[in-house]
Amino acid sequence: MAKTAASGDDYESALAQSSTKVAEFEDTRTGFVHKFQHALHLNPSLVPLIVLLLSIALFGALLGSKFFSPFALTLILQQVQIVGIVAAAQSLVILTAGIDLSVGAIMVLSSVVMGQFTFRYGIPAPISIGAGLACGTACGFVNGFLVARMKLPPFIVTLGMWQIVLASNFLYSGNATIRAQDIAAEAPLLHLFGAKINIGGAVLTVGVLFMVGLVLLLSYVLRHTAWGRHVYAVGDDKDAAELSGVQTDRVLISVYMLSGLICAFAGWALIGRIGSVSPTSGQLANIESITAVVIGGISLFGGRGSILGTLFGALIVGVFTLGLRLLGADAQWTYLLIGILIIAAVAVDQWIRKVSV
Amino acid sequence: MEQQQPILQGKNLVKRYGRVTALDHCDFELYPGEILAVIGDNGAGKSTLIKAVSGAVVPDAGEVFLEGKRVNFSSPLDAREHGIETVYQQLAMSPALSIADNMFMGRELRKPGIMGKWLRQLDRPAMEAFAREKLNELGLMTIQNIRQAVETLSGGQRQGVAVARAAAFGSKVIILDEPTAALGVKESRRVLELINDVKSRGQPIVLISHNMPHVFEIADRIHIHRLGKRLCVIRPQDYSMNDAVAFMTGAKEPPQEALAA
């Protein structure tokens, strides 16, 4: 035995002189395209940012001051605030390699709960709003529980919840709209997100500030806290995350609950935006939020992308919508261009990934 | 050594996946301060055995004892909290995250003061410095950037990171499931040196390997696994590698005194 071990050692004896320096290489691929690709790989939200700046420049050149004014540019922010907030919730879920089709329905149900609690039961507005936020979080919990504990596919769970929540919304509200005048007179707090702030021609609303603040906060949390890293790890490879000590079920449930809560805030912002509480509003929020997430460069397979990209994605859609309308083009051109953008975004995503292989 | 109490023990473990029996009333003992090698054919149930004692699978029947006390691990996190650190064959890394993020997954360091306590900010510089130090200890000098994503590492480098993670955090038992399978000569030697270092600190190690020279060089005892159960336990100085392979594949009946050991 000792003999075998000794002869086995021979080929390793040269190791004594091996180098102890950390490897350094001269990177000869210094071309612009390569550097660009590498930068994009490190900061995936750069792509939608560049597209956003280019599209603003394009429409600015075509339309001049009609588009390139503080008023028009902040109008875009107002128009995308609802989609932006919902897309932030959608981003969290998609980062865990899931999808949430119930975001729009949760948003509408939460706004209906806020309105009906105030006007049907005469509950003070702050408590009604709390109930609406709790309602959204509870819907998110059901989604998260079914996905994490029952191991059902997120697509199926949220497809079902979409119908359930939307139907509950119509049944509970009796299809009744609460008028804007009544809200303004009796419960102005429900209009909080619609409050306008004028800064020299630029018009910002509380909802816009909330959207930007929310995205910045989530961006910090995802990048710099343990919970944020766990969200990425779960989306990347759930089994590996579990083996390396992440409580994946807890992370998933918390993500869906947070998504529900954010959707409820979007419901509050929706009341501020449209003035009334309407059970038929916000039907396009699902598709629009997924569009913003995809154009923003977050991978539908989970674990990759940045929530800042989602904000840029929502803004790109807003810029195209307003720009084309000011140009007098048929609204269908907007959808056509957004369709092209979605496919282009995924193609760029694939190209960026080649850096790692 | 046999008079001592085992630090980690499995009794009568059974695990079935549908109709496939992976563990068939298997026993397992690890004594304090030793290196126990587990060898066996592919599909003999070695990995399932290790998963059963480290919480990654819950056995259908049987008991696990840590330091004489009955434990019920329902997840790897449970086992980790009890000081059992495992490197799995599939390595359990998140490819898109950085080396430092992976090493600290589930036990991240937070910044001191307000930033950490209230904003729960991670202490990246400390985590990166620690990760670099542990990789250097292992001689993984070819990793250029501690912030690079694990997916950009070669298979061997990934394995090195996983071993470094286990060695850095395992307090009672370290389990290595084929730690040198994908490593180069130099890295393999480093891993073996590291295993000896860890042993000299008094920590016991379970090593699963197909590499007979490595097993015979560093193991104190060798657990031979066959058809879902422990066939026998031998000491490397009493038998040759040929004998071990013969027992493992069923070419030769194990000696009676080894069965008792």
Side-chain angles (χ1 to χ4, degrees):
Chain A
M1 252 335 294
K3 193 169 175 290
T4 324
S7 62
D9 269 347
D10 278 347
Y11 69 102
E12 289 169 328
S13 56
L15 287 178
Q17 293 98 45
S18 51
S19 156
T20 55
K21 247 176 56 194
V22 172
E24 287 171 53
F25 294 99
E26 206 178 338
D27 196 343
T28 49
R29 299 168 302 171
T30 47
F32 174 72
V33 174
H34 172 72
K35 273 189 178 165
F36 186 59
Q37 195 182 16
H38 184 68
L40 294 182
H41 184 68
L42 291 179
N43 300 296
S45 58
L46 272 181
V47 184
L49 180 61
I50 292 167
V51 174
L52 176 65
L53 294 176
L54 285 178
S55 55
I56 291 175
L58 177 74
F59 284 110
L62 288 174
L63 288 159
S65 61
K66 209 161 77 174
F67 179 83
F68 219 60
S69 69
F71 177 79
L73 291 177
T74 48
L75 182 65
I76 294 172
L77 281 169
Q78 290 180 46
Q79 284 172 341
V80 302
Q81 58 176 315
I82 306 294
V83 170
I85 296 169
V86 174
Q90 188 70 264
S91 305
L92 288 174
V93 174
I94 288 183
L95 278 175
T96 65
I99 194 154
D100 192 342
L101 299 174
S102 62
V103 283
I106 294 177
M107 172 179 80
V108 176
L109 179 65
S110 304
S111 76
V112 163
V113 165
M114 290 176 193
Q116 295 291 341
F117 272 41
T118 312
F119 288 87
R120 199 191 291 182
Y121 310 128
I123 296 171
I127 298 174
S128 302
I129 288 166
L133 298 178
C135 168
T137 313
C139 294
F141 174 77
V142 174
N143 279 334
F145 182 83
L146 293 173
V147 169
R149 289 284 152 79
M150 309 289 289
K151 316 276 178 219
L152 300 178
F155 187 92
I156 306 296
V157 168
T158 57
L159 183 68
M161 278 297 281
W162 176 11
Q163 306 300 332
I164 294 168
V165 173
L166 204 59
S168 316
N169 158 54
F170 288 125
L171 291 172
Y172 174 65
S173 66
N175 244 339
T177 300
I178 299 169
R179 293 189 308 156
Q181 301 94 300
D182 297 342
I183 296 175
E186 292 173 41
L189 190 64
L190 288 176
H191 278 161
L192 176 71
F193 279 71
K196 289 196 165 73
I197 303 156
N198 281 296
I199 311 165
V203 184
L204 295 173
T205 63
V206 174
V208 168
L209 297 177
F210 178 81
M211 171 185 74
V212 176
L214 176 72
V215 169
L216 292 178
L217 176 73
L218 286 176
S219 160
Y220 168 84
V221 168
L222 285 171
R223 212 174 253 274
H224 292 293
T225 70
W227 182 81
R229 295 287 91 188
H230 294 173
V231 169
Y232 277 89
V234 168
D236 214 353
D237 186 338
K238 184 164 176 282
D239 295 333
E242 183 134 25
L243 287 177
S244 47
V246 176
Q247 290 173 299
T248 52
D249 288 0
R250 206 184 277 186
V251 171
L252 279 175
I253 292 176
S254 65
V255 162
Y256 281 90
M257 284 175 74
L258 184 56
S259 163
L261 177 65
I262 294 171
C263 291
F265 272 107
W268 189 4
L270 186 69
I271 303 175
R273 174 88 190 128
I274 63 177
S276 57
V277 174
S278 161
T280 53
S281 57
Q283 300 296 346
L284 287 173
N286 279 346
I287 286 300
E288 287 177 348
S289 69
I290 296 170
T291 303
V293 170
V294 171
I295 293 179
I298 293 185
S299 167
L300 284 176
F301 304 108
R304 285 151 214 267
S306 144
I307 197 157
L308 287 175
T310 296
L311 179 61
F312 300 143
L315 289 172
I316 289 169
V317 175
V319 165
F320 272 86
T321 311
L322 185 74
L324 289 170
R325 198 164 72 211
L326 290 176
L327 279 174
D330 190 319
Q332 295 307 325
W333 283 105
T334 311
Y335 296 119
L336 193 146
L337 281 172
I338 288 169
I340 293 173
L341 271 182
I342 291 174
I343 294 170
V346 176
V348 168
D349 184 45
Q350 294 292 338
W351 179 65
I352 294 170
R353 266 180 212 202
K354 283 192 189 144
V355 183
S356 65
V357 186
Chain B
M1 203 180 258
E2 269 80 59
Q3 286 79 37
Q4 274 182 294
Q5 185 188 51
I7 183 160
L8 183 64
Q9 186 178 24
K11 271 190 194 162
N12 226 4
L13 297 170
V14 177
K15 178 71 194 174
R16 295 191 182 88
Y17 298 106
R19 287 197 181 172
V20 179
T21 301
L23 285 181
D24 181 21
H25 303 284
C26 174
D27 291 328
F28 170 86
E29 282 121 31
L30 175 71
Y31 289 96
E34 72 167 347
I35 297 175
L36 175 73
V38 177
I39 61 173
D41 259 347
N42 290 321
K46 305 184 296 292
S47 290
T48 307
L49 169 65
I50 260 41
K51 284 181 175 167
V53 296
S54 69
V57 303
V58 179
D60 299 327
E63 298 167 309
V64 178
F65 297 87
L66 180 66
E67 294 177 316
K69 284 193 280 290
R70 174 89 196 268
V71 283
N72 267 317
F73 297 139
S74 57
S75 74
L77 199 63
D78 274 356
R80 229 167 69 165
E81 275 161 10
H82 283 87
I84 300 176
E85 200 67 38
T86 310
V87 177
Y88 299 97
Q89 245 173 322
Q90 65 268 40
L91 298 180
M93 295 274 183
S94 296
L97 298 185
S98 77
I99 296 167
D101 281 344
N102 265 292
M103 278 187 80
F104 284 87
M105 187 59 65
R107 58 182 144 223
E108 290 82 358
L109 301 180
R110 274 196 243 132
K111 282 221 171 111
I114 298 171
M115 288 308 281
K117 196 158 180 224
W118 296 103
L119 298 175
R120 306 181 79 82
Q121 190 175 29
L122 296 175
D123 195 348
R124 281 260 157 63
M127 282 163 48
E128 281 163 5
F130 182 91
R132 169 57 81 191
E133 185 192 320
K134 291 296 162 190
L135 293 181
N136 284 357
E137 271 176 30
L138 252 182
L140 284 162
M141 300 298 179
T142 52
I143 292 175
Q144 298 163 52
N145 180 358
I146 206 79
R147 288 194 198 99
Q148 77 192 79
V150 164
E151 66 192 349
T152 63
L153 300 177
S154 74
Q157 288 175 322
R158 280 182 216 198
Q159 193 127 35
V161 173
V163 172
R165 171 168 75 176
F169 294 104
S171 62
K172 279 189 187 140
V173 175
I174 295 175
I175 299 173
L176 303 168
D177 193 351
E178 304 205 21
T180 57
L183 294 185
V185 174
K186 180 177 145 204
E187 286 82 2
S188 296
R189 177 50 47 194
R190 288 285 189 165
V191 168
L192 296 184
E193 282 170 7
L194 184 91
I195 292 172
N196 274 319
D197 276 0
V198 173
K199 185 195 168 190
S200 66
R201 289 191 305 212
Q203 277 173 273
I205 294 158
V206 180
L207 168 72
I208 301 180
S209 180
H210 284 294
N211 189 320
M212 290 299 152
H214 287 169
V215 166
F216 273 75
E217 182 189 333
I218 65 166
D220 295 311
R221 296 188 309 136
I222 300 172
H223 168 138
I224 300 180
H225 210 75
R226 180 167 157 71
L227 301 176
K229 59 174 105 180
R230 179 170 67 181
L231 181 73
C232 60
V233 176
I234 60 171
R235 293 183 173 283
Q237 55 270 35
D238 300 341
Y239 293 90
S240 71
M241 292 188 216
N242 277 332
D243 295 333
V245 173
F247 298 150
M248 183 171 106
T249 53
K252 208 159 140 184
E253 284 299 311
Q256 283 308 310
E257 73 276 11
L259 284 172

